Amino acid sequence: MEDYPNKISIKSWAEEDRPREKLSGQGRRALTDAELIAILIGSGSRDESAVELSKRILHHYENDLNKLGKAGISELSKFKGIGEAKAISIIAALEIGRRRGDTEIKVLDEVKSSRDGYNIMRRHLMDLNHEEFWIMLIGRSSKVLAKELVSKGGLSGTVADPKIIFHMALQHQASALIMVHNHPSGNLKPSREDLVLTKKIADAGRMLDINVLDHLIITDNGYFSFGDEGLL
């Protein structure tokens, strides 16, 4: 039996099968995710082509670009054939795609529903591997006065100090506020700590005549509204 030939490099492929030529001749939509990533990284290694390397990376992330979009430089650099420069190219391209998605949603300057709050805040909290706690400060006629980051935490939680929250609200002379934080785990169910904090902030708001309109939990796949669920 004859030995199998060595792997064929991309340069030896038929021209219509090369990612760059394929994009030029057939358009961007003709390319697979792996072929698009192969264009970003430019070259593979002696053992595999750029497309094969891209397929291996995508397979590791279950062919989910959202999961790949959360990877950092050090994580991507663990793949053989991916150095820091190639990792940065992949991250930058996926971030541009994410921001393009943001611009397609009209940025609102007022909040009249939980969906409005979600649409305004989702871009700040998507694709994070840690928790962040924000507040939206609302003025008269439901106008958004400011969006403030209160605290950052780890994978499982963050601390939100009521004194800091209401100091920010008073500085902006807000008449109402909405609390917002993310769950990197993807779980939309509020924790016991979430429920306790929400009640504490809502009670304090009534004392200061600052209405706590809602508390939103945001994940990559949707949101949970304390207000909609009657938990305020």
Side-chain angles (χ1 to χ4, degrees), residues 90-120:
I90 293 171
I91 291 169
L94 290 171
E95 176 62 15
I96 288 173
R98 187 189 68 79
R99 294 186 187 188
R100 182 187 176 194
D102 292 340
T103 60
E104 290 174 352
I105 299 174
K106 183 180 179 181
V107 178
L108 305 174
D109 62 355
E110 62 181 20
V111 180
K112 294 185 177 178
S113 69
S114 61
R115 175 62 64 175
D116 291 343
Y118 168 70
N119 285 336
I120 291 172

Side-chain angles (χ1 to χ4, degrees), residues 33 37 40 54 57-58 60-72 75-76 79 87 90-91 94 127:
D33 292 345
I37 293 173
L40 292 173
S54 299
I57 293 171
L58 283 169
H60 177 81
Y61 292 102
E62 302 175 351
N63 295 305
D64 188 332
L65 291 176
N66 287 323
K67 291 181 179 179
L68 177 57
K70 295 181 180 181
E75 184 177 337
L76 289 175
F79 289 94
I90 293 171
I91 291 169
L94 290 171
D127 296 338

Side-chain angles (χ1 to χ4, degrees), residues 3 11 26 37 78 83 101 112-113 115 142:
D3 293 335
K11 290 181 180 179
Q26 301 179 38
I37 293 173
K78 292 179 182 177
K112 294 185 177 178
S113 69
R115 175 62 64 175
S142 303

Side-chain angles (χ1 to χ4, degrees), residues 53-215:
L53 172 56
S54 299
K55 287 180 178 178
R56 183 159 59 87
I57 293 171
L58 283 169
H59 177 73
H60 177 81
Y61 292 102
E62 302 175 351
N63 295 305
D64 188 332
L65 291 176
N66 287 323
K67 291 181 179 179
L68 177 57
K70 295 181 180 181
I73 295 173
S74 60
E75 184 177 337
L76 289 175
S77 296
K78 292 179 182 177
F79 289 94
K80 183 179 179 182
I82 298 293
E84 182 177 336
K86 291 181 179 180
I88 289 172
S89 294
I90 293 171
I91 291 169
L94 290 171
E95 176 62 15
I96 288 173
R98 187 189 68 79
R99 294 186 187 188
R100 182 187 176 194
D102 292 340
T103 60
E104 290 174 352
I105 299 174
K106 183 180 179 181
V107 178
L108 305 174
D109 62 355
E110 62 181 20
V111 180
K112 294 185 177 178
S113 69
S114 61
R115 175 62 64 175
D116 291 343
Y118 168 70
N119 285 336
I120 291 172
M121 292 303 301
R122 64 187 294 271
R123 70 186 184 90
H124 297 289
L125 295 164
M126 298 286 280
D127 296 338
L128 295 180
N129 291 316
H130 62 275
E131 279 201 14
E132 291 190 357
F133 193 101
W134 290 67
I135 54 173
M136 297 177 63
L137 300 172
I138 314 297
R140 297 182 183 279
S141 303
S142 303
K143 296 292 184 181
V144 178
L145 301 175
K147 296 168 288 182
E148 298 284 357
L149 174 61
V150 177
S151 63
K152 294 183 180 181
L155 179 63
S156 59
T158 184
V159 177
D161 188 335
K163 295 188 293 295
I164 294 175
I165 290 173
F166 286 106
H167 176 69
M168 291 175 171
L170 292 169
Q171 278 188 317
H172 288 277
Q173 298 183 338
S175 58
L177 66 85
I178 296 173
M179 296 178 284
V180 187
H181 80 281
N182 64 312
H183 280 180
S185 65
N187 181 10
L188 282 171
K189 184 178 179 180
S191 67
R192 180 180 177 278
E193 290 77 11
D194 293 336
L195 293 167
V196 170
L197 176 65
T198 301
K199 184 178 185 307
K200 182 187 293 186
I201 300 298
D203 289 345
R206 282 188 279 272
M207 295 283 291
L208 294 170
D209 199 25
I210 296 175
N211 190 17
V212 177
L213 299 174
D214 208 342
H215 184 175

Side-chain angles (χ1 to χ4, degrees), residues 10-11 13 15-28 31 35-43 50-51:
I10 288 179
K11 290 181 180 179
W13 294 5
E15 185 168 316
E16 62 271 16
D17 289 333
R18 301 178 202 167
R20 287 187 177 85
E21 286 79 357
K22 190 173 179 181
L23 189 150
S24 178
Q26 301 179 38
R28 71 195 76 176
L31 274 69
E35 289 170 334
L36 290 169
I37 293 173
I39 291 175
L40 292 173
I41 63 180
S43 62
V51 174

